[in-house]
Amino acid sequence: MISRLTSTAMFSLRFQRGAIVLLTVTLLLIIVSLVTLYTGKIQTFEHKITLNEQSLVLAKAKSEEGLQRVIALLNADKAIVTTISNSAIVSDGFTAVYGTVETITNNRLLVSLTSYGTSPDGLASVNTQQQILIYPLMFNNLISPLIVQGGVLNEGEIEVVANPDGLGVGKPLSIWSDLSIDFISSDHHSCLKSEFDHGQCSSSSISNKVIQTTDLVESSVTFPGSLSEYLFNIETTDILELKSQAKFVFSGCEHLSDMSYGMIWIEGDCEVDFSTTVGSPSKPVVMIVMNGDINLLDDATIYGLVCSFRSSNSVLSLSVNMHSGALISGGLVSNHALGVHSTTTRVVYDAQVANALVTLDSLQMLANVPGSWNNF
């Protein structure tokens, strides 16, 4: 009897132990399954986050691509600014919109741009905005055909055709300088365009070696301390910024022709060949010759503004020379004295050229407006 009870008790104990083990294993399997499901859910969620982040990055890239596309088109052809208001460019993944075009002071235009970018899967979209300023390269209008920092000495011959209204209506201006202008002991002379056209500039002059009148503004207290800042709103110490903005950079002038346009930077001497025309009255150029002599051979003509600049640390004695029939139609600016060498300098003011220098599309610059970019 006792043996049977003991056997029954042991069987019951074993059964209970087996049930406990089974329950424990079942609970562990449930826990493992829950952990697996949770981990899978977290990984799926993280995968979706990663995909969404990638979609957002791609949408931002497309939006920025659209923005840069319209900026590049504006930079290539600023004339389109007159027709683009509220027009759009639609491409794969983006829609770029030219918004309002606002005219502000001094021929400056403010263009608002918006680009809508979408990811390839269509899950993300980004709206990027930017304002662009289109402004003339010339910060101030050309009022004098000859602007000289350093004065005008009495060597050689300077023939200059005045701006008839440079000092006001009916008040001609031929030369503007911070130092003295010596016509009295020289062969220099100035005249009006009508006299020049009839070959009578030296005989029917405004100022010459006999008389020096008010068309020559010397030792001017209003003369700018920096010609690069006055002309282009760039400090003398930062003048190389102009080089980076130039359409063309050459080491000489043999490539120039009537097809030349925009701002041209010449490093070193510039010689314009016989009968060569650079630019035109309606499409003048801005030419900066850095640390080099300027020499125009017979009947060569440059339409536009020519800047003869010498580096602040340079000791070069530069010359501007024009042979028979050669001239600059527009203006000549020099940051060093003229009349130093036995050369001929001939500059003819042209109102059409002066106006085109501030309105011509190829002489307009483009800049991002600081703080206007956002992709909120």
Side-chain angles (χ1 to χ4, degrees):
M1 182 69 178
I2 294 173
S3 175
R4 183 181 295 178
L5 290 173
T6 302
S7 176
T8 302
M10 290 179 63
F11 176 78
S12 177
L13 181 61
R14 288 173 182 172
F15 179 79
Q16 290 176 4
R17 287 177 178 175
I20 291 171
V21 170
L22 179 60
L23 179 62
T24 302
V25 171
T26 302
L27 289 174
L28 287 174
L29 285 173
I30 292 172
I31 292 171
V32 169
S33 298
L34 290 174
V35 169
T36 302
L37 289 173
Y38 179 77
T39 302
K41 185 176 181 180
I42 292 297
Q43 288 179 341
T44 301
F45 184 68
E46 289 178 347
H47 182 64
K48 288 182 178 179
I49 291 175
T50 301
L51 288 178
N52 288 339
E53 287 178 346
Q54 290 177 346
S55 296
L56 183 61
V57 169
L58 292 173
K60 286 181 177 179
K62 279 296 182 181
S63 180
E64 189 64 27
E65 178 187 346
L67 189 66
Q68 295 305 317
R69 181 83 64 87
V70 295
I71 291 174
L73 290 173
L74 270 177
N75 201 30
D77 183 11
K78 299 177 183 67
I80 65 174
V81 75
T82 58
T83 60
I84 62 173
S85 183
N86 296 315
S87 62
I89 296 175
V90 180
S91 186
D92 181 25
F94 69 80
T95 300
V97 178
Y98 294 101
T100 58
V101 178
E102 179 184 353
T103 302
I104 54 180
T105 58
N106 297 328
N107 298 313
R108 286 157 174 78
L109 298 176
L110 186 65
V111 184
S112 298
L113 305 176
T114 303
S115 179
Y116 304 93
T118 305
S119 62
D121 56 14
L123 295 177
S125 60
V126 174
N127 174 359
T128 304
Q129 297 178 336
Q130 173 78 62
Q131 286 185 317
I132 300 295
L133 182 67
I134 298 177
Y135 61 96
L137 170 66
M138 296 280 293
F139 187 66
N140 283 293
N141 293 347
L142 182 66
I143 61 170
S144 176
L146 195 54
I147 302 175
V148 186
Q149 187 175 46
V152 177
L153 306 183
N154 59 8
E155 289 295 322
E157 178 186 357
I158 294 177
E159 183 174 64
V160 56
V161 175
N163 174 1
D165 302 313
L167 296 174
V169 178
K171 298 179 180 179
L173 174 60
S174 299
I175 304 177
W176 183 27
S177 180
D178 60 334
L179 297 180
S180 62
I181 300 172
D182 187 355
F183 266 42
I184 299 301
S185 58
S186 70
D187 291 325
H188 308 332
H189 50 274
S190 63
C191 66
L192 295 175
K193 185 69 162 52
S194 56
E195 280 71 30
F196 177 82
D197 290 341
H198 290 89
Q200 300 173 350
C201 191
S202 59
S203 59
S204 300
S205 55
I206 304 173
S207 293
N208 52 39
K209 60 184 177 182
V210 176
I211 183 173
Q212 193 163 313
T213 68
T214 55
D215 70 311
L216 308 179
V217 179
E218 59 183 344
S219 303
S220 172
V221 295
T222 61
F223 195 88
S226 168
L227 286 176
S228 62
E229 184 177 7
Y230 173 77
L231 293 169
F232 310 113
N233 198 30
I234 293 180
E235 290 281 357
T236 303
T237 52
D238 300 323
I239 195 169
L240 288 180
E241 286 187 18
L242 280 174
K243 184 177 181 179
S244 66
Q245 296 176 14
K247 292 284 187 183
F248 305 98
V249 177
F250 298 129
S251 58
C253 290
E254 58 272 12
H255 300 291
L256 302 183
S257 69
D258 58 347
M259 300 300 292
S260 299
Y261 65 95
M263 180 170 64
I264 303 167
W265 180 282
I266 306 295
E267 195 73 43
D269 294 341
C270 169
E271 181 171 278
V272 181
D273 207 354
F274 297 95
S275 303
T276 298
T277 299
V278 180
S280 68
S282 60
K283 295 182 179 180
V285 300
V286 171
M287 191 166 77
I288 299 173
V289 181
M290 180 61 68
N291 295 325
D293 294 330
I294 299 173
N295 188 28
L296 275 63
L297 300 183
D298 292 355
D299 299 317
T301 301
I302 299 176
Y303 289 98
L305 176 68
V306 178
C307 300
S308 177
F309 283 168
R310 182 176 62 187
S311 301
S312 57
N313 59 352
S314 174
V315 294
L316 292 172
S317 180
L318 302 178
S319 66
V320 181
N321 185 34
M322 298 167 198
H323 295 244
S324 175
L327 58 87
I328 294 173
S329 180
L332 171 65
V333 176
S334 170
N335 70 350
H336 55 87
L338 294 180
V340 177
H341 302 277
S342 296
T343 57
T344 299
T345 301
R346 189 176 298 107
V347 185
V348 178
Y349 180 82
D350 187 307
Q352 180 184 4
V353 170
N355 181 66
L357 286 171
V358 295
T359 60
L360 191 63
D361 293 331
S362 61
L363 294 173
Q364 304 298 303
M365 311 304 290
L366 186 148
N368 296 336
V369 176
S372 66
W373 182 93
N374 71 74
N375 63 349
F376 303 147

